[in-house]
């Protein structure tokens, strides 16, 4: 088959993201309600704050906003993770970043599968936060063995999707019919299964060790546990949720409200209780929930250090993890502490706190052949020949992720695993190295500068 008949991985990802959203709407109707709320609020923000719409137009994010979402899954074995990586690769999604959640009492480590180039992200920014269960952290040998033997027996991929992955790797792509079949077949891996693979008693044993272990081990596959749309105003969402019959978690994770958002702010609502059929009797399980997020500027190592320092200081001042009882105090402390982080794009740029994208303006293009035009980046910006916008953060935050896990596992599910980051073990299971998100942002920034230089007829900037 000639290569030109292949569907691009970006297009397969866009199809898959749409199919996943449709499936999740059917499985979890509240997700549909949430999408409506998010779309209402996004329209409102763009109408009331034209500068926000303008910034999104510069970066092109306005075109991806409505289809922007991330999902999350939890797999049980190294082999499952390695095959998931191959499945996502068909859709141009690659593992970016390593997240250790053991230090937050969750026995998993994770990566985010996503597109890595800004042009691909523009077509479909769909990402999946993917966690691998760490049975080695469970100090109950019998239970560990039980879990391992149950996991060893399951096959979370259809035979057809495995064939299509092989075929794609062998031929270098999939044609339209195969791509469509791939999307439908891949969806099966992420579906909710009403039938559990264990008895009610086994479920209880796994659950008593950690709720998350039951969620990963007791079912036929890694059901998608949430699908998260992107809002332009998470405070409005948090306020608007109860009126729509959606009870939010106590606090919004991440940085406080700002004029120029940074990184990622997230809130979620509690898991659904779902009826399940154990192999011997009926029962129920809570796994799936809803989440909403607001994305802002990707921070440089220096900006990220400042963010981490201010978040730590907030938590130290609070004297514990934020929860229902101290939510108001936490949000107030967060706001005060973060006053140290400049809320101005020009300052953030001058201080090297965030990554940016640069654009040649009409004025710059009109002046590109004049001898006396400025030629340095600073000069061009000052003269209005170059415009800049923050580069949007495409990744996740470990402290926020832990907060999302915890709120849905119940505050009683706190466990202690110490800090057990083991990126090498994760990459060995994955069969690949995870990419460094900071390098990706830096490359993206550099490409935008090169494009500017070219458009303005300058050798470099
Ligand atoms: C993943 C939780 C983390 C996020 O957005 O930070 C997450 C999970 O519960 O499996 O999705
Ligand atoms: Ni999430």
């Amino acid at each position: 088959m000639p290569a030109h008949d292949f569907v691009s991985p970006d297009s397969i990802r866009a199809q898959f993201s749409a199919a996943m959203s449709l499936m999740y709407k059917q499985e979890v109707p509240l997700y549909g309600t949430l999408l409506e709320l998010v779309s209402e609020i996004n329209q409102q923000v763009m109408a009331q704050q034209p500068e926000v719409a303008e910034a999104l137009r510069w970066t092109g994010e306005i075109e991806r906003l409505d289809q922007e979402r991330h999902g999350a899954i939890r797999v049980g074995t190294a082999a499952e993770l390695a095959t998931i990586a191959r499945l996502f690769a068909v859709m141009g999604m690659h593992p970016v970043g390593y997240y250790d959640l053991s230090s937050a009492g969750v026995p998993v480590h994770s990566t985010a599968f996503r597109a890595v180039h800004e042009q691909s992200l523009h077509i479909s920014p769909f990402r999946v936060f993917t966690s691998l269960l760490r049975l080695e952290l469970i100090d109950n040998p019998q239970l560990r063995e039980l879990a391992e033997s149950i996991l060893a027996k399951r096959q979370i991929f259809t035979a057809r999707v495995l064939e299509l992955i092989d075929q794609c790797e062998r031929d270098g792509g999939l044609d339209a019919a195969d791509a469509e079949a791939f999307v439908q077949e891949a969806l099966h891996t992420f579906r909710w299964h009403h039938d559990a693979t264990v008895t009610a008693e086994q479920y209880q044993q796994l659950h008593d060790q950690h709720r998350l272990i039951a969620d990963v081990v007791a079912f036929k596959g890694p059901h998608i546990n949430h699908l998260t749309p992107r809002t332009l105003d998470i405070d409005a969402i948090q306020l608007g949720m109860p009126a729509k019959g959606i009870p939010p978690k106590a606090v919004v994770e991440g940085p406080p409200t700002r004029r120029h958002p940074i990184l990622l702010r997230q809130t979620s609502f509690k898991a659904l209780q779902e009826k399940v059929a154990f192999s011997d009797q009926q029962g129920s399980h809570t796994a799936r929930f809803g989440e909403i997020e607001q994305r802002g500027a990707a921070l440089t190592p220096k900006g990220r250090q400042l963010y981490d320092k201010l978040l730590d200081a907030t938590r130290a001042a609070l004297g514990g993890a934020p929860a229902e009882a101290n939510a108001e105090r936490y949000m107030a402390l967060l706001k005060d502490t973060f006053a140290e982080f400049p809320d101005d794009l020009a300052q953030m740029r001058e201080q090297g706190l965030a990554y940016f994208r640069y654009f040649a303006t009409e004025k710059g293009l009109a002046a590109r052949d004049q001898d006396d035009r400025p030629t340095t980046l600073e000069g061009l910006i000052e003269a209005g020949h170059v415009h800049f916008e923050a580069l949007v953060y495409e990744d996740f935050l470990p402290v926020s992720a832990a907060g999302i896990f915890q709120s849905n596992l119940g505050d009683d599910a706190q466990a202690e695993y110490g800090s057990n980051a083991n990126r090498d073990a994760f990459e060995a299971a994955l069969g690949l190295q995870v990419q460094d998100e900071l390098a990706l942002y830096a490359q993206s920034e550099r490409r935008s500068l090169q494009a500017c230089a070219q458009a303005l007829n300058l050798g470099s900037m």
Side-chain angles (χ1 to χ4, degrees):
M1 163 111 23
H4 58 260
D5 280 349
F6 291 150
V7 178
S8 80
D10 293 338
S11 157
I12 303 179
R13 181 173 67 260
Q15 287 175 47
F16 183 78
S17 168
M20 181 83 104
S21 185
L22 197 64
M23 177 178 92
Y24 204 61
K25 232 186 275 185
Q26 286 159 358
E27 291 187 349
V28 182
L30 261 188
Y31 167 69
T33 313
L34 192 65
L35 284 186
E36 286 163 27
L37 180 61
V38 167
S39 158
E40 257 168 52
I41 303 245
N42 285 356
Q43 293 306 324
Q44 238 173 54
V45 170
M46 285 198 273
Q48 289 166 3
Q49 296 168 253
E51 69 284 4
V52 173
E54 182 64 16
L56 293 171
R57 230 171 288 159
W58 273 108
T59 62
E61 281 162 80
I62 201 153
E63 285 139 31
R64 65 180 231 191
L65 194 61
D66 282 343
Q67 42 147 334
E68 181 145 1
R69 56 187 78 94
H70 83 253
I73 56 167
R74 304 150 183 174
V75 297
T77 65
E80 289 178 357
L81 183 67
T83 307
I84 274 287
R86 294 173 56 216
L87 181 148
F88 283 138
V90 172
M91 303 187 245
M93 295 164 79
H94 307 286
V96 178
Y98 171 76
Y99 302 87
D100 165 40
L101 291 159
S102 65
S103 52
V106 185
V108 303
H109 45 187
S110 320
T111 190
F113 286 94
R114 66 164 175 92
V116 294
H117 191 289
E118 61 276 6
Q119 279 163 9
S120 295
L121 287 159
H122 182 247
I123 296 171
S124 169
F126 181 59
R127 3 174 141 70
V128 179
F129 192 88
T130 302
S131 301
L132 173 64
L133 181 63
R134 301 181 69 183
L135 287 174
E136 75 275 14
L137 297 183
I138 309 301
D139 56 2
N140 177 338
Q142 280 97 25
L143 196 81
R144 208 161 53 215
E145 250 168 60
L146 173 69
E148 275 163 5
S149 72
I150 297 167
L151 287 170
K153 281 191 230 124
R154 77 176 185 183
Q155 170 53 278
I156 65 172
F157 303 99
T158 67
R160 182 74 185 123
V161 88
L162 292 174
E163 273 169 26
L164 287 165
I165 294 169
D166 280 341
Q167 182 187 322
C168 181
E169 288 172 348
R170 189 183 61 232
D171 300 348
L174 297 176
D175 69 14
D178 287 339
E180 207 180 307
F182 170 84
V183 166
Q184 290 312 315
E185 291 290 327
L187 265 186
H188 286 298
T189 298
F190 302 89
R191 260 181 220 298
W192 172 249
H193 295 279
H194 170 259
D195 295 329
T197 55
V198 298
T199 65
E201 197 201 318
Q202 286 172 328
Y203 174 85
Q204 202 53 48
Q205 276 179 316
L206 296 165
H207 189 279
D208 288 349
Q209 188 71 34
H210 199 297
R211 265 167 80 153
L212 190 91
I213 300 178
D215 183 59
V216 178
V217 177
F219 297 92
K220 289 182 179 164
H223 40 258
I224 182 109
N225 66 52
H226 63 280
L227 210 51
T228 303
R230 172 176 171 191
T231 177
L232 297 175
D233 185 350
I234 201 159
D235 297 306
I237 296 278
Q238 181 87 349
L239 277 173
M241 279 162 74
K244 298 262 181 189
I246 313 174
K249 80 192 272 293
V251 303
V252 174
E253 297 289 344
T257 310
R258 294 164 50 92
R259 200 155 57 90
H260 296 286
I262 51 172
L263 298 173
L264 179 62
R265 301 184 71 208
Q266 299 178 307
T267 185
S268 65
F269 53 89
K270 299 263 160 60
L272 309 175
Q273 228 196 27
E274 314 194 64
K275 290 191 170 30
V276 300
F278 296 115
S279 53
D280 55 345
Q281 65 185 77
Q282 300 295 314
S284 71
H285 175 70
T286 46
R288 298 187 303 169
F289 60 98
E291 186 192 42
I292 313 89
E293 66 189 12
Q294 179 172 4
R295 289 187 173 266
L299 300 185
T300 59
K302 183 180 173 198
R304 181 54 186 268
Q305 251 170 28
L306 180 58
Y307 170 79
D308 287 336
K309 183 187 99 175
L310 299 177
L311 191 68
D312 284 352
T314 307
R315 289 186 172 234
L318 186 72
E324 205 83 48
N326 57 16
E328 233 169 90
R329 205 167 91 80
Y330 174 72
M331 295 313 276
L333 281 170
L334 192 67
K335 183 162 181 273
D336 287 353
T337 316
F338 270 81
E340 199 184 321
F341 203 116
D343 193 2
D344 175 86
L345 284 192
Q347 279 179 33
M348 283 159 64
R349 200 182 70 84
E350 278 153 25
Q351 295 178 30
L353 296 172
Y355 292 103
F356 289 87
R357 282 175 75 174
Y358 297 89
F359 306 91
T361 62
E362 304 260 325
K363 189 174 173 196
L365 292 172
R368 62 182 291 215
D369 296 320
Q370 290 171 10
D371 292 339
D372 58 347
R373 78 210 151 114
T375 53
T376 65
L377 179 58
E378 301 312 315
L380 289 158
I381 290 172
E382 202 162 312
H385 292 195
V386 165
H387 176 80
F388 61 85
E389 293 289 345
L391 189 58
V392 66
Y393 190 60
E394 306 284 358
D395 294 286
F396 294 86
L397 296 169
V399 175
S400 299
I404 298 287
F405 265 108
Q406 291 302 354
S407 77
N408 290 289
L409 294 169
D411 288 338
D412 57 332
Q414 291 277 358
E416 290 293 335
Y417 299 104
S419 183
N420 265 293
N422 191 344
R423 183 180 172 143
D424 288 346
F426 186 81
E427 290 180 334
L430 187 65
L432 286 170
Q433 288 192 329
V434 300
Q435 299 195 40
D436 172 12
E437 67 276 19
L438 296 170
L440 295 174
Y441 294 122
Q443 282 163 18
S444 194
E445 182 178 88
R446 207 169 315 122
R447 279 193 290 264
S448 87
L449 280 170
Q450 279 160 356
C452 258
Q454 199 167 25
L456 296 179
N457 208 8
L458 291 163
S460 68
M461 277 192 327

